[in-house]
Amino acid sequence: MKRTIVIGNISLDHIHRPGHQPVHQLGGAALHLAVAAARTGLPVAPGAAVGSDLARLPDDPRLPALDWTLLHHAPEPSAAFTIHYDDTDTVTAVDTAYGAAEHLTDHALHLIDRYPHAAFHVSCRHPLHVPAVLSTLAARGCSYSLDFHLPSAPHLIPAAAPWLRQAATIFVNAEEHALLTLTAGPRPGPEVVISDGPRPARVVLNGRALPPVTPPALPTVRQITGAGDTLAGTYLAHRARGLPAPAALTRAVQAASRHTAHMPLTLPAPRRAPS
């Protein structure tokens, strides 16, 4: 399997849910997606920009073996996101300090230039300059997939529109899918994976909707952030291994559900014991 380079943010997340104490944890789409893909056997390298506050990520024993060689170490603090949810576990507000992530676009373009034969996954989030990255991937003939995040999707889905149909797979939630079809029509790309929290997920493959997959009911939900990224990373890994889309989706939905039942990667992080 090709190594997949995940372009996106790795961050310090501060999670606020009604009736719960705030949680401070490791986060970012690039981290959650890469971890899920690695646990499913895909060779994966996060292509993110971090500060010295996350310089010891490779020493965290809670994370699987990842290729950390493509991190960009910036002088600014790592990106920090304060994410607010409502009683239905829907994101209501995101407060952001981008910090090191301001270097992400330049770093992504460097990685595309250096590794044009890798597969890429692009988490389309601010502050990434999505048109610059996607146009370069398309011009170089790179294989790439995409995902979006609802707070920025109304701006970044139209920004990505000229390059959507060249993406191998697009991951969206139900609300983002409505924006996607409004922007690019009913067939925005060859493979679209649509998640909807605890409700059924589905794949639209070459314009044909496959049977939906319902997540298993769980007695306890310990975290929400990163579930969609876990689904995407698991799905990409299984598809890279040759599984058909229905089987890949079933396993991806199960992995996302397991993710919500696990404790988040709270801070401070433990260090890996010396070998």
Side-chain angles (χ1 to χ4, degrees):
M1 290 185 287
K2 280 185 180 181
R3 177 172 66 167
T4 295
I5 299 173
V6 182
I7 303 298
N9 297 318
I10 296 178
S11 60
L12 304 171
D13 287 354
H14 310 289
I15 309 301
H16 296 262
R17 295 172 64 196
H20 296 263
Q21 290 295 316
V23 176
H24 308 287
Q25 63 190 59
L26 288 174
L31 180 68
H32 288 301
L33 195 145
V35 164
R39 285 180 173 150
T40 315
L42 185 68
V44 61
V50 298
S52 59
D53 47 4
L54 289 181
R56 300 195 65 86
L57 269 176
D59 296 328
D60 192 324
R62 301 169 299 179
L63 301 177
L66 290 169
D67 179 353
W68 293 107
T69 61
L70 302 188
L71 286 183
H72 174 76
H73 295 276
E76 298 88 352
S78 298
F81 298 97
T82 301
I83 306 172
H84 300 266
Y85 292 89
D86 64 16
D87 289 324
T88 67
D89 292 335
T90 299
V91 175
T92 58
V94 179
D95 301 320
T96 304
Y98 290 124
E102 297 284 5
H103 298 272
L104 182 58
T105 298
D106 287 342
H107 183 51
L109 295 175
H110 167 73
L111 293 177
I112 296 166
D113 183 62
R114 188 174 178 187
Y115 304 105
H117 300 297
F120 286 83
H121 179 83
V122 182
S123 291
C124 297
R125 313 279 203 277
H126 293 309
L128 186 71
H129 193 287
V130 170
V133 172
L134 297 189
S135 63
T136 304
L137 285 167
R140 298 295 294 269
C142 299
S143 172
Y144 62 92
S145 53
L146 308 173
D147 73 76
F148 295 91
H149 184 47
L150 188 57
S152 58
H155 173 67
L156 293 185
I157 287 177
W163 305 281
L164 292 172
R165 287 183 171 81
Q166 289 171 259
T169 309
I170 302 171
F171 296 91
V172 287
N173 68 19
E175 292 179 77
E176 293 157 7
H177 184 241
L179 293 170
L180 186 67
T181 55
L182 183 65
T183 298
R187 297 181 65 172
E191 183 173 66
V192 181
V193 179
I194 307 150
S195 60
D196 196 11
R199 292 164 290 277
R202 64 192 191 276
V203 177
V204 179
L205 194 61
N206 295 316
R208 181 171 65 92
L210 304 184
V213 176
T214 301
L218 295 173
T220 303
V221 174
R222 292 186 170 92
Q223 63 174 326
I224 306 159
T225 305
D229 301 314
T230 298
L231 186 151
T234 306
Y235 185 89
L236 286 175
H238 282 304
R239 290 292 272 154
R241 295 172 57 196
L243 262 67
L249 181 63
T250 297
R251 297 187 186 192
V253 166
Q254 292 169 347
S257 294
R258 289 193 299 271
H259 172 85
T260 65
H262 291 161
M263 295 300 294
L265 298 172
T266 53
L267 298 168
R271 291 187 179 181
R272 196 179 302 274
S275 56

